[in-house]
């Protein structure tokens, strides 16, 4: 399958099956914003839950949910007001605007030049000088719009963690090393949005800040790098599709930084950054707020500002990586009603069962002899534990295909044998192997398969 096709196919599947829709579609859409449909919201929730469990089901990591709007001084202290900019250029010919540092990625936005690469226009001298454009969305608190009541939509969740460092440390009685994890929306007024969910103006982040003694930074940096790669692999991302990109040019706050990149159809793109942010943020907030964000080690009797190792993943970018990674089309043999065999294509999402939006589908083989009632009862029972889909329309093969396309890992079918001995078939999505099990054992069976 051609690489470019995959993104197009995933975008089309997303719309058709209800993973992702363009925001405000009936009004022509809003650039860089997306809505998660019935299946998408489940997948996104499962990605976030898998991350949350992996991070916070540990002795030394606490959770937090800080507000999106924060005191404007936060963004002065963090350096975002001054530095959170991208270089922007305008094309004098077609009047489009581009981010100057990623021109290779970008096509000309004008319909008249469809398919033309923006970099070509730069080479032909059509661009203005680059100007810095601040990516933070700005608004005002209260009815008056003046400079005294400016607020920003947060461009990252990390700052909410730093300003709560003392609150969390004291309320949870944590000692170094310990971390604070947060999942939440972030907003960036990106100059160009592109590649579906990869670069959007509203997105979700899953960030963890790990506070450590300064001399232990190299050790913890390596530790978190490995942990985070393993997390993606554990949930089904193919290891060979991941790349670790070391930054040569570091952000103003960082001592070392790597990106975990996934090989999207358009090339490698960052899905998570691991940064050694040193004591930059805690020191800046100490300076700007006048509150000492320090740590007292009661064994060594030292007082110091901890260093921070940050793991910063995009929930929406990871969502896209999981979807693309899972997408597949296979030729399968099907048995026709006259007993002959033929082949057909099946579209399948090989999502890890823990991430799959629907865990199990239940079908009566035919709509007679009380099979529907039994299937309904099984569905209700399974709903105590899982997201379940009941389907009694069309040939059973068609019902399997519909579930394969949604990534549903198990399909249970009630048939004539169920009437005799209370067993059902349970079919596994990837292998298509069917087993017969007692209908009372389905919950246990699925729980077992979902265990990581
Ligand atoms: P990029 O260079 O792609 O703009 P970044 O280096 O600015 O990304 P970080 O500030 O490190 O990104 O943000 C951490 C994570 O947040 C990224 O790895 C990515 O998964 C996610 N992210 C950042 N910007 C966006 C965006 N515009 N849309 C979707 N996800 C984003």
């Amino acid at each position: 399958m051609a690489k470019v096709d995959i993104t197009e196919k995933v975008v089309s599947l997303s719309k058709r099956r209800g993973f992702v829709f363009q925001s405000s579609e009936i009004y022509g859409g809003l650039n860089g914003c997306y809505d998660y449909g019935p299946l998408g919201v489940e997948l996104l929730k499962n990605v976030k839950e898998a991350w949350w469990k992996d991070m916070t089901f540990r002795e030394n990591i606490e959770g937090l949910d800080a507000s999106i709007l924060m005191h404007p001084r936060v963004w002065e202290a963090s350096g975002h007001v001054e530095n959170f900019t991208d270089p922007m250029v305008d094309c004098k010919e077609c009047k489009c605007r581009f981010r100057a540092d990623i021109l290779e990625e970008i096509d000309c936005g004008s319909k008249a030049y469809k398919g033309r690469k923006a970099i070509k226009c730069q080479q032909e001298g059509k661009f203005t000088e680059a100007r810095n454009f601040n990516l933070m969305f700005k608004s005002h608190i209260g009815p008056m719009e003046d400079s005294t009541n400016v607020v920003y939509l947060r461009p990252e969740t990390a700052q909410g963690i730093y300003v709560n460092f003392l609150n969390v440390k004291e309320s949870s009685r944590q000692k170094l090393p310990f971390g604070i994890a947060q999942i939440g929306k972030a907003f960036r007024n990106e100059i160009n949005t592109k590649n579906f969910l990869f670069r959007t103006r509203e997105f979700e982040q899953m960030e963890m800040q790990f506070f450590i003694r300064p001399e232990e930074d190299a050790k913890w940096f390596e530790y978190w790098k490995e942990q985070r790669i393993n997390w993606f692999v554990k949930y089904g991302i193919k290891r060979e599709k991941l790349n670790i990109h070391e930054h040569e040019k570091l952000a103003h706050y960082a001592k070392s930084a790597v990106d975990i990149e996934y090989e999207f159809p358009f090339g490698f793109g960052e899905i998570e950054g691991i940064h050694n942010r040193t004591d930059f943020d805690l020191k800046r907030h100490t300076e700007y707020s006048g509150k000492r964000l320090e740590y007292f080690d009661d064994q060594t009797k030292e007082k110091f500002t901890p260093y921070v190792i940050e793991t910063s993943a995009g929930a929406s970018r990871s969502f896209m990586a999981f979807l693309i990674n899972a997408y597949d089309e296979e030729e399968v043999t099907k048995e026709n009603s006259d007993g002959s065999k033929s082949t057909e294509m099946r579209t399948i999402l090989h999502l890890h069962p823990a991430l799959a939006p629907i865990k199990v589908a239940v079908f009566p083989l035919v709509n007679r002899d009380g099979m529907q009632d039994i299937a309904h009862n099984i569905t209700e029972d399974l709903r105590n534990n899982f997201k379940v889909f009941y389907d009694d329309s069309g040939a059973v093969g068609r019902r399997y295909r519909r579930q394969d396309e949604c990534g549903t890992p198990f399909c249970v079918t009630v048939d004539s044998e169920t009437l005799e001995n209370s067993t059902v078939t349970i079919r596994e999505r990837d292998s298509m192997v069917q087993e017969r099990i007692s209908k009372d054992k389905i919950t246990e069976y699925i729980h077992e398969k979902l265990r990581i």
Side-chain angles (χ1 to χ4, degrees):
M1 208 184 326
K3 275 183 168 186
V4 273
D5 284 355
I6 298 179
T7 311
E8 275 167 28
K9 285 180 173 179
V10 167
V11 172
S12 139
L13 175 91
S14 291
K15 163 108 205 260
R16 195 170 70 248
R17 299 313 312 263
F19 281 92
V20 180
F21 310 124
Q22 174 76 60
S23 160
S24 322
E25 195 185 72
I26 59 167
Y27 288 98
L30 180 67
N31 210 313
C33 300
Y34 288 92
D35 298 341
Y36 291 81
L39 293 186
V41 72
E42 292 293 331
L43 173 58
L44 184 63
K45 179 178 68 64
N46 294 340
V47 168
K48 292 187 284 185
E49 197 173 295
W51 183 89
W52 190 254
K53 276 189 185 159
D54 196 76
M55 283 297 181
T56 68
F57 286 17
R58 301 174 187 238
E59 209 173 2
N60 59 357
I61 298 195
E62 304 290 346
L64 180 77
D65 188 1
S67 91
I68 288 175
L69 301 180
M70 299 175 77
H71 196 288
R73 292 277 284 165
V74 168
W75 306 108
E76 288 170 31
S78 67
H80 281 82
V81 171
E82 197 185 334
N83 293 318
F84 197 58
T85 57
D86 278 337
M88 182 172 76
V89 287
D90 289 290
C91 179
K92 287 181 243 168
E93 192 169 309
C94 72
K95 311 288 177 226
C96 290
R97 223 156 234 177
F98 303 102
R99 192 172 139 185
D101 58 334
I102 52 167
L103 284 175
E104 279 87 357
E105 278 185 24
I106 305 176
D107 295 328
C108 174
S110 159
K111 282 201 180 101
Y113 299 95
K114 206 169 182 292
R116 185 182 169 93
K117 287 275 164 212
I119 191 135
K120 197 141 198 315
C121 303
Q122 185 196 39
Q123 285 157 357
E124 290 169 13
K126 293 184 180 153
F127 285 172
T128 57
E129 284 294 303
R131 289 162 294 147
N132 280 337
F133 171 73
N134 195 299
L135 301 186
M136 283 197 293
F137 280 98
K138 204 176 191 179
S139 188
H140 296 87
I141 290 257
M144 302 299 285
E145 288 194 14
D146 64 51
S147 58
T148 57
N149 59 10
V150 164
V151 279
Y152 299 99
L153 295 185
R154 67 179 176 203
E156 62 175 30
T157 59
Q159 300 303 322
I161 295 181
Y162 301 132
V163 300
N164 278 294
F165 169 70
L166 292 180
N167 285 337
V168 175
K169 176 177 79 69
E170 276 151 30
S171 57
S172 62
R173 297 169 54 231
Q174 284 284 0
K175 299 212 178 314
L176 291 192
F178 77 94
I180 305 177
Q182 168 162 232
I183 298 178
K185 291 251 174 165
F187 304 83
R188 296 184 187 179
N189 201 358
E190 299 277 358
I191 299 167
N192 299 109
T193 56
K194 203 172 178 239
N195 292 325
F196 194 34
L197 304 173
F198 185 80
R199 190 174 302 287
T200 53
R201 297 200 165 99
E202 175 177 340
F203 55 96
E204 262 186 299
Q205 290 188 313
M206 311 186 286
E207 294 197 307
M208 194 280 301
Q209 313 294 320
F210 200 67
F211 301 93
I212 54 169
R213 295 186 66 92
E215 65 277 16
E216 295 181 347
D217 63 344
K219 174 180 101 181
W220 286 114
F221 186 77
E222 284 310 307
Y223 173 83
W224 283 110
K225 195 165 90 183
E226 198 184 317
Q227 289 279 307
R228 294 304 305 141
I229 295 166
N230 291 347
W231 181 82
F232 283 107
V233 174
K234 186 160 85 179
Y235 284 96
I237 297 279
K238 299 173 192 109
R239 181 63 185 86
E240 67 275 15
K241 290 271 183 188
L242 293 176
N243 180 44
I244 306 302
H245 170 76
E246 308 249 354
H247 283 230
E248 295 96 46
K249 202 169 143 238
L250 294 170
H252 60 280
Y253 53 76
K255 184 172 157 189
S256 41
V258 293
D259 292 341
I260 302 179
E261 297 180 332
Y262 177 75
E263 191 179 10
F264 290 98
F266 58 84
F268 277 101
E270 171 187 339
I271 48 176
E272 172 156 355
I274 318 279
H275 310 124
N276 176 353
R277 293 182 73 130
T278 68
D279 52 11
F280 175 84
D281 301 273
L282 292 183
K283 278 206 167 137
R284 289 278 286 203
H285 287 301
T286 298
E287 189 190 324
Y288 279 66
S289 69
K291 274 256 181 242
R292 305 190 78 81
L293 305 187
E294 292 174 334
Y295 182 80
F296 179 70
D297 189 322
D298 39 35
Q299 291 200 323
T300 61
K301 307 292 175 217
E302 291 165 278
K303 197 179 221 185
F304 59 93
T305 308
Y307 265 35
V308 174
I309 304 298
E310 166 183 71
T311 67
S312 173
S316 5
R317 265 194 206 172
S318 303
F319 173 105
M320 180 173 163
F322 282 119
L323 255 191
I324 289 196
N325 181 73
Y327 187 90
D328 200 5
E329 288 172 4
E330 312 176 330
E331 202 175 73
V332 287
T333 310
K334 81 167 193 187
E335 191 154 343
N336 303 313
S337 49
D338 62 1
S340 64
K341 291 197 171 152
S342 57
T343 55
E344 65 172 3
M345 289 305 282
R346 73 164 180 153
T347 301
I348 176 167
L349 289 181
H350 296 284
L351 288 169
H352 189 290
L355 300 185
I358 297 167
K359 305 296 181 220
V360 50
V362 182
F363 314 145
L365 183 64
V366 285
N367 296 333
R368 57 164 199 263
D369 305 332
M371 287 186 207
Q372 282 166 301
D373 288 343
I374 299 173
H376 274 303
N377 288 341
I378 291 174
T379 303
E380 283 316 308
D381 183 46
L382 291 175
R383 278 194 180 135
N384 290 316
N385 290 281
F386 313 109
K387 181 90 183 156
V388 189
F389 188 80
Y390 172 88
D391 190 0
D392 61 14
S393 73
V396 86
R398 296 264 304 278
R399 288 182 249 169
Y400 282 145
R401 296 288 168 272
R402 288 201 285 262
Q403 293 308 312
D404 290 343
E405 233 188 17
C406 306
T408 307
F410 306 105
C411 292
V412 165
T413 303
V414 171
D415 56 16
S416 51
E417 227 181 297
T418 316
L419 309 176
E420 289 160 22
N421 61 13
S422 292
T423 62
V424 291
T425 63
I426 187 156
R427 176 241 197 208
E428 200 272 330
R429 177 197 64 202
D430 297 349
S431 63
M432 297 192 288
V433 166
Q434 296 186 23
E435 280 182 64
R436 270 211 100 81
I437 62 169
S438 158
K439 72 180 171 58
D440 302 331
K441 292 265 186 304
I442 310 172
T443 299
E444 203 181 308
Y445 179 97
I446 296 171
H447 269 310
E448 190 53 43
K449 299 280 181 183
L450 290 180
R451 200 162 288 145
I452 308 269

